[in-house]
Amino acid sequence: MKTRRYMVLLLLVVALFQGCAFSRGTLGDDIKAEAVSLIQKGVTTKAEILNLLGAPDRLLQLNGRDVFQYYRYDAKAGSLLLILLNFTRLSIKSDDLFVILNRDGLVEDIIASKRTDSLRFRFWPFGE
Amino acid sequence: MTNVWTKVASILIGAVVCLPFIGCNVVRVTLNTSLTPEDVAFIVPGQTTLADIVDKLGAPDTLTNSETGVVATYRFLDLKYSRVNFGWLAKPWTPIDPDLIFSRTGFGVDAFEVHCNQQWIVLHQGFQRHLVRPPFHPYPFQQSQRVGGRELPTSNGLAIMASHGFGHIRPSVSSAQ
């Protein structure tokens, strides 16, 4: 009796998820929050930043100051393939970190945001 | 007899309602969160700092140098694609695989740029384009209208608004002054 119930449940799950597709793509390494929290303004040096986070994805010059830019992109796609009617939604978000270094090679400022935490698989393309 | 006609009428109405969805694909691609003029209304040139903006909108996608300071750019995309293949209607009656496809893509690419001075105070800000509502209908022969600096589709049925609101932004930002 129990086996039959499990079989029905399994068939129901299979029937509900047939025609669904999940895809994911990432670009760049994860920017570790622990590493970012160790950075101290006016104290941490350029060499320590390189040790903590590795080489930057981009090296910029702003007002005579070096800026290290780190980024990571995360993409999640959900597709609902109903043969006659197909819905697909691809959402891409990025984590960005800018470390601004002064002329002495010390951290002057940090600009960071982590958006990929809120990224979800979505199927419905309408609305928000 | 009346019952039969009711059934036939129901089937016909059902077919007419389902017809526009036959062989239909709807795709949406979003990169970051679309910004609207309302989202950036808090910015006051000469007063707001880049740190204030980062607190509300998160880190920009790029920072570039300019002669008078720094330009922070927030890029976003809200691509909408829809496609209908009317060839599906003939499939049951033909030995070949006919296609009659209408499709349309609205790229919805935009960027919000903030120009700051060397003290990180905002001097100017503005959107690169004003495509807040790209079309979301498969009919490719219709022109879009530009109303009040915004791209609006002429049909009022199937267009939808670009998304609003922000994801979770960790405000690990300190004063940039």
Side-chain angles (χ1 to χ4, degrees):
Chain A
M1 192 63 185
K2 250 189 178 176
T3 315
R4 190 184 285 178
R5 230 183 249 174
Y6 282 129
M7 285 300 287
V8 169
L9 193 70
L10 184 70
L11 281 173
L12 197 69
V13 169
V14 169
L16 282 173
F17 282 91
Q18 67 92 26
C20 282
F22 297 88
S23 311
R24 180 145 186 206
T26 52
L27 171 71
D29 295 326
D30 195 14
I31 301 168
K32 292 189 178 80
E34 310 87 66
V36 176
S37 66
L38 291 173
I39 301 169
Q40 290 179 296
K41 283 195 280 181
V43 177
T44 310
T45 64
K46 189 187 281 189
E48 287 169 333
I49 293 291
L50 291 170
N51 270 337
L52 282 169
L53 300 164
D57 296 300
R58 283 180 77 199
L59 184 57
L60 314 164
Q61 279 273 322
L62 290 182
N63 299 332
R65 286 167 283 198
D66 281 338
V67 178
F68 286 180
Q69 184 184 0
Y70 297 87
Y71 54 76
R72 176 177 183 264
Y73 283 86
D74 198 351
K76 288 181 182 174
S79 298
L80 200 57
L81 310 166
L82 306 171
I83 303 170
L84 291 180
L85 180 62
N86 301 321
F87 293 123
T88 301
R89 178 111 189 220
L90 169 65
S91 307
I92 308 164
K93 288 199 174 181
S94 63
D95 297 333
D96 297 279
L97 171 68
F98 294 90
V99 182
I100 301 165
L101 300 152
N102 64 18
R103 288 181 175 86
D104 302 322
L106 297 173
V107 173
E108 187 178 308
D109 226 315
I110 309 161
I111 298 174
S113 64
K114 197 165 177 69
R115 299 183 178 94
T116 57
D117 281 349
S118 63
L119 193 64
R120 306 172 276 124
F121 281 102
R122 291 188 287 183
F123 298 92
W124 188 241
F126 306 101
E128 186 241 327
Chain B
M1 194 64 182
T2 316
N3 199 19
V4 173
W5 283 115
T6 311
K7 273 185 183 171
V8 170
S10 307
I11 289 166
L12 280 174
I13 289 167
V16 167
V17 168
C18 292
L19 208 62
F21 301 108
I22 285 172
C24 190
N25 288 283
V26 182
V27 178
R28 184 156 175 197
V29 179
T30 50
L31 168 64
N32 291 329
T33 308
S34 294
L35 296 175
T36 63
E38 292 77 38
D39 296 325
V40 298
F42 70 93
I43 299 170
V44 181
Q47 288 180 24
T48 311
T49 63
L50 185 63
D52 299 331
I53 296 172
V54 172
D55 268 337
K56 293 234 167 100
L57 307 181
D61 294 285
T62 54
L63 284 173
T64 43
N65 211 4
S66 79
E67 273 189 26
T68 51
V70 173
V71 179
T73 309
Y74 291 85
R75 294 180 205 288
F76 49 91
L77 165 88
D78 191 7
L79 185 148
K80 291 167 186 171
Y81 165 81
S82 52
R83 174 187 185 269
V84 176
N85 187 355
F86 291 101
W88 277 78
L89 289 171
K91 273 193 181 187
W93 298 283
T94 63
I96 56 162
D97 200 0
D99 282 324
L100 173 60
I101 297 168
F102 283 6
S103 78
R104 185 159 181 171
T105 306
F107 281 96
V109 180
D110 206 344
F112 177 65
E113 291 180 349
V114 185
H115 186 191
C116 302
N117 65 14
Q118 299 204 344
Q119 285 72 48
W120 306 98
I121 295 168
V122 176
L123 298 175
H124 314 283
Q125 47 96 3
F127 286 90
Q128 205 174 52
R129 299 181 184 86
H130 294 275
L131 297 171
V132 181
R133 299 172 69 184
F136 211 165
H137 56 84
Y139 189 64
F141 306 108
Q142 199 170 19
Q143 288 287 327
S144 293
Q145 286 180 335
R146 189 171 277 273
V147 180
R150 294 179 180 189
E151 191 84 8
L152 292 170
T154 48
S155 106
N156 54 5
L158 292 164
I160 64 167
M161 281 291 289
S163 61
H164 303 273
F166 303 100
H168 171 73
I169 294 167
R170 189 174 295 167
S172 56
V173 180
S174 52
S175 170
Q177 289 187 54

